[in-house]
């Protein structure tokens, strides 16, 4: 159980650390190499996939609609909490656009996992 949820917690902590950093030099450097949109979408695609792995109990057979919805809900709750925290961090701004980018990244990641799971099942049925 810990081996499934520890990567999720570590990813969440890394996102919180980056989001709560009041040092604008860190975010300017990151934004120079990656757009804010890609950073949010990519980070939440990874978080959603790690969360899906945990909710599916580490098995492709556990990839159910419930596991997908739960992984998305957990990822979005985290994204909303990050934006809420940023309201209180000097030099940072809470933005709805960031929440939408988080949701888009999580949806793309989970959609890819769902499609991969369907292909795996079909190839095993042959």
């Amino acid at each position: 159980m810990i081996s499934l949820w520890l990567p999720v917690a570590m990813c969440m902590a890394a996102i919180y650390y980056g989001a709560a950093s009041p040092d604008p030099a860190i975010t300017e450097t990151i934004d120079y190499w990656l757009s804010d949109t890609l950073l949010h979408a990519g980070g939440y695609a990874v978080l959603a996939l790690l969360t899906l792995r945990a909710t599916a109990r580490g098995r492709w057979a556990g990839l159910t609609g419930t596991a997908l919805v739960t992984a998305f809900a957990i990822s979005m709750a985290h994204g909303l909490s990050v934006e809420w925290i940023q309201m209180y961090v000097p030099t940072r701004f809470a933005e709805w656009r960031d929440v939408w980018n988080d949701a888009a990244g999580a949806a793309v990641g989970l959609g890819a996992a769902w499609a991969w799971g369907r292909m795996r099942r079909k190839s095993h049925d042959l």
Side-chain angles (χ1 to χ4, degrees), residues 3 68 111-112:
S3 66
L68 286 161

Side-chain angles (χ1 to χ4, degrees), residues 1 6 10 12 21-22 26 29-31 36-37 47 55 57-59 71 86-88 106-107 109 111 113 117 122:
M1 182 80 144
L6 183 60
M10 290 175 64
M12 287 178 168
S21 172
I26 292 171
T29 302
I30 291 171
D31 288 345
D36 188 55
T37 299
L47 177 60
T55 59
R57 295 185 180 99
R59 298 181 347 265
Q86 284 187 335
M87 291 190 310
Y88 304 101
K122 286 188 188 262

